[in-house]
Amino acid sequence: MCGVLGLVAHEPVNQLLYDGLQMLQHRGQDAAGIVTAEGSMFHMHKGKGMVRDVFRTRNMRDLVGNAGIAHVRYPTAGNAGSSAEAQPFYVSSPFGIVLAHNGNLTNTEELYESVCNKHLRHINTRSDSEVLLNVFAHELRREVTAMGDAVLNVDHVFNAVSHLHKRVRGAYGVVALIAGYGMVAFRDPLGIRPLALGTHTDNNGKTTYCVASESVVFNSLAFHLERDIAPGEAVVVTFDGKLYTRQCAESPKLSPCLFEYVYFARPDSVIDGVSVYQARMNMGVTLAEKVKRSLPLDDIDVVMPIPDTSRPSAMELAHHLGKPYREGLIKNRYIGRTFIMPGQATRKKSVRQKLNPMNCEFAGKSVLLVDDSIVRGTTSREIVEMARDAGARKVYFASAAPEVRFPNVYGIDMPTRDELIANGRTADEIAKEISADGCVFQDLADLEEVVRVLNPAIESFDTSCFSGCYLTGDIDESYLQKLSASKSSVAAAQVQPSQVEHSIRISDNDDEDE
């Protein structure tokens, strides 16, 4: 679940891209990258780590130009440990293109074979994002050649995206730059991954355009959220500031990922017309009704969130149950999000560093802990143990999301059923596994209704990790087994992190960081 950002402005964009990327840091902590365009020249810096660690003053000085794209990586495909897979990716033909991608393709292997063997293009990594870039580059070259034009125009771009939609399956929100021409952004025909358009008009009446994974970027940069980019739609902003849009998919259907509202998105974002914060508060209301039916209310003394994502749900749940709300777990904000840390050992070690219980809030009390979801159960088990060590008499657990029983193949790191604690277990059995006195999960129908009521235009949702229903229609048991094997082999071949700075021009200054 990566974060992408693109800007076309009338002034240097390096600082805007850096600031905007920090607002998307929650979507990926593995790597970060920025590419700017100065006429027909690209300038790139990317590397392993968080935004603040990847970019130094000398790097920012070299990122000149009035347009650019940026990316934060959360590894879902390819080699998570390789700095070569930090985005954006670059190809020289046609014209020179850089691309950043949020999501995950489900027919990567088929596309890889086609791109390499039929189109004779070189793929330097096993990243599906680099494959996607080369598919786009091939389709764009084919369009220009077929029309016999030497100069790129907007029809070439839109036609290339249309052909790409027909070939590519999966989830993708994309921003790209074409050298000397402009920025391109497009979204998968099901709208699984989010993508939004924002604008800022200066005192001279000039408009800067921004595309981002979440609207929170626009707030931080003093931009206005214009709208979400529609499923299958493509947006082109030329370097002279002209905006073009076109629907490029034959049968688009808005089916956003429910897990965005549950966990990944920031609460101050609005995704597909839905306030994430309001959705999470409403999850607490419906979850409270489930708790009433499932747990002994008289035995619950206090309600506590597992910070931070579950806080809105926990507050509403406590209110509707008529129970005191307490903050019993204090979060160390300098520890990364444990769910998106690769490797169980890293997750287990980080939980105790990330959360610290206040004994006075637990001692002698029966506590209802509320979390956004329970995925692997590692974090939940550790937290229950911490609550008991802090003196809790009983520990109940409530999840604002339904049981996660199936792998997600559209951009969330849930590759194997064996990793999912809810796989093959009832709520009572899960409670036993995490050492809780009781466990309650949100009903899927309630979760869907919570989001849909905030935007009735949403036709359906990607609920695959809860329901096992894969919208792209190409996922079977064989696919899931291959994915599991691939994930295992990649994990065994992790390499040490480093930073990469390259592109058409490499400028490596030796001045001190400031």
Side-chain angles (χ1 to χ4, degrees):
M1 195 76 69
C2 304
V4 298
L5 172 63
L7 278 161
V8 176
H10 304 277
E11 60 183 356
V13 296
N14 51 358
Q15 188 66 53
L16 288 172
L17 288 167
Y18 179 87
D19 293 343
L21 209 55
Q22 285 196 310
M23 301 303 290
L24 294 174
Q25 185 70 87
H26 61 287
R27 298 188 68 87
Q29 302 161 18
D30 178 70
I34 292 177
V35 176
T36 57
E38 182 188 23
S40 60
M41 182 176 288
F42 292 140
H43 307 280
M44 177 186 291
H45 181 74
K46 60 182 183 177
K48 293 281 293 177
M50 299 182 63
V51 175
R52 65 172 182 249
D53 300 318
V54 171
F55 298 98
R56 295 289 186 261
T57 301
R58 68 172 182 268
N59 311 132
M60 298 304 295
R61 289 198 193 109
D62 293 338
L63 294 171
V64 296
N66 292 357
I69 62 174
H71 184 270
V72 286
R73 173 174 162 82
Y74 154 52
T76 58
N79 185 350
S82 173
S83 59
E85 296 201 3
Q87 296 187 42
F89 285 113
Y90 165 77
V91 291
S92 62
S93 176
F95 306 109
I97 306 170
V98 287
L99 178 145
H101 162 223
N102 167 34
N104 200 59
L105 307 187
T106 58
N107 64 333
T108 305
E109 187 174 327
E110 169 193 328
L111 293 170
Y112 183 91
E113 293 299 321
S114 176
V115 165
C116 293
N117 297 333
K118 291 178 61 178
H119 307 329
L120 303 181
R121 304 186 71 90
H122 174 67
I123 306 295
N124 197 51
T125 71
R126 296 300 295 188
S127 170
D128 62 335
S129 302
E130 189 180 9
V131 173
L132 181 63
L133 166 60
N134 277 272
V135 171
F136 177 63
H138 171 76
E139 296 298 342
L140 187 61
R141 181 185 182 90
R142 190 172 72 164
E143 275 299 311
V144 174
T145 303
M147 290 184 159
D149 297 328
V151 179
L152 183 66
N153 64 53
V154 72
D155 288 327
H156 295 144
V157 178
F158 286 139
N159 290 341
V161 174
S162 295
H163 291 302
L164 179 147
H165 284 328
K166 294 175 183 177
R167 295 183 59 188
V168 172
R169 294 191 299 273
Y172 47 96
V174 172
V175 291
L177 293 176
I178 302 175
Y181 183 73
M183 177 179 71
V184 182
F186 54 90
R187 192 177 180 190
D188 65 81
L190 292 170
I192 297 174
R193 297 273 71 86
L195 201 61
L197 175 67
T199 60
H200 173 78
T201 303
D202 63 20
N203 294 332
N204 297 319
K206 294 182 178 180
T207 300
T208 294
Y209 292 96
C210 181
V211 172
S213 292
E214 291 187 35
S215 65
V216 67
V217 171
F218 306 144
N219 300 336
S220 70
L221 301 182
F223 276 60
H224 170 70
L225 169 62
E226 290 291 334
R227 61 181 179 86
D228 294 283
I229 293 175
E233 182 183 19
V235 172
V236 173
V237 183
T238 58
F239 287 155
D240 59 2
K242 294 178 181 177
L243 173 70
Y244 304 90
T245 67
R246 184 180 299 177
Q247 177 53 253
C248 295
E250 293 180 349
S251 302
K253 182 179 181 180
L254 181 57
S255 303
C257 174
L258 266 181
F259 219 73
E260 288 279 359
Y261 302 101
V262 168
Y263 175 81
F264 266 101
R266 276 183 46 148
D268 42 349
S269 285
V270 176
I271 294 180
D272 289 313
V274 174
S275 163
V276 175
Y277 181 76
Q278 186 64 55
R280 289 177 184 168
M281 285 202 301
N282 294 354
M283 289 174 203
V285 176
T286 54
L287 184 58
E289 294 302 315
K290 183 74 175 288
V291 168
K292 289 178 183 178
R293 300 192 302 267
S294 307
L295 297 179
L297 290 185
D298 293 342
D299 196 36
I300 296 175
D301 297 321
V302 295
V303 175
M304 292 183 187
I306 296 173
D308 285 316
T309 319
S310 65
R311 187 171 283 120
S313 297
M315 291 178 66
E316 284 299 298
L317 184 146
H319 174 72
H320 280 265
L321 292 183
K323 299 291 183 179
Y325 171 87
R326 294 289 185 269
E327 296 274 352
L329 295 165
I330 303 303
K331 182 179 180 181
N332 181 347
R333 300 186 182 279
Y334 301 97
I335 300 293
R337 300 179 85 173
T338 54
F339 176 71
I340 59 177
M341 287 182 177
Q344 286 281 43
T346 306
R347 290 188 191 95
K348 292 183 71 173
K349 179 182 177 182
S350 66
V351 174
R352 294 270 178 170
Q353 297 172 337
K354 176 182 176 181
L355 295 173
N356 190 50
M358 291 193 291
N359 290 8
C360 62
E361 291 293 351
F362 287 94
K365 297 177 183 177
S366 179
V367 178
L368 174 59
L369 297 174
V370 181
D371 207 351
D372 50 75
S373 58
I374 303 177
V375 182
R376 296 170 176 87
T378 306
T379 301
S380 305
R381 190 179 299 112
E382 290 281 313
I383 291 172
V384 170
E385 183 179 328
M386 279 194 287
R388 294 196 189 280
D389 290 345
R393 178 171 56 86
K394 286 188 179 180
V395 181
Y396 296 100
F397 214 101
S399 168
E403 297 93 328
V404 177
R405 299 189 185 278
F406 302 92
N408 183 288
V409 299
Y410 301 127
I412 300 175
D413 189 18
M414 301 177 195
T416 66
R417 287 185 193 153
D418 291 341
E419 289 184 294
L420 306 176
I421 194 170
N423 178 44
R425 293 188 178 98
T426 65
D428 288 341
E429 290 169 336
I430 295 169
K432 185 177 180 180
E433 285 291 322
I434 65 174
S435 300
D437 293 287
C439 199
V440 176
F441 290 87
Q442 184 92 255
D443 288 335
L444 179 55
D446 288 340
L447 180 59
E448 290 184 283
E449 183 61 22
V450 158
V451 179
R452 185 181 287 109
V453 75
L454 297 175
N455 181 8
I458 297 178
E459 301 176 57
S460 60
F461 296 94
D462 165 38
T463 64
S464 56
C465 59
F466 308 122
S467 65
C469 177
Y470 296 95
L471 296 175
T472 50
D474 58 340
I475 307 302
D476 56 17
E477 187 61 32
S478 173
Y479 182 97
L480 296 177
Q481 289 178 358
K482 280 186 178 180
L483 187 64
S484 175
S486 174
K487 185 71 177 180
S488 298
S489 64
V490 167
Q494 294 286 304
V495 296
Q496 293 299 312
S498 61
Q499 289 192 10
V500 177
E501 183 167 359
H502 69 281
S503 193
I504 316 311
R505 184 183 73 178
I506 303 175
S507 51
D508 187 10
N509 294 338
D510 293 324
D511 56 327
E512 293 296 321
D513 293 341
E514 299 173 357

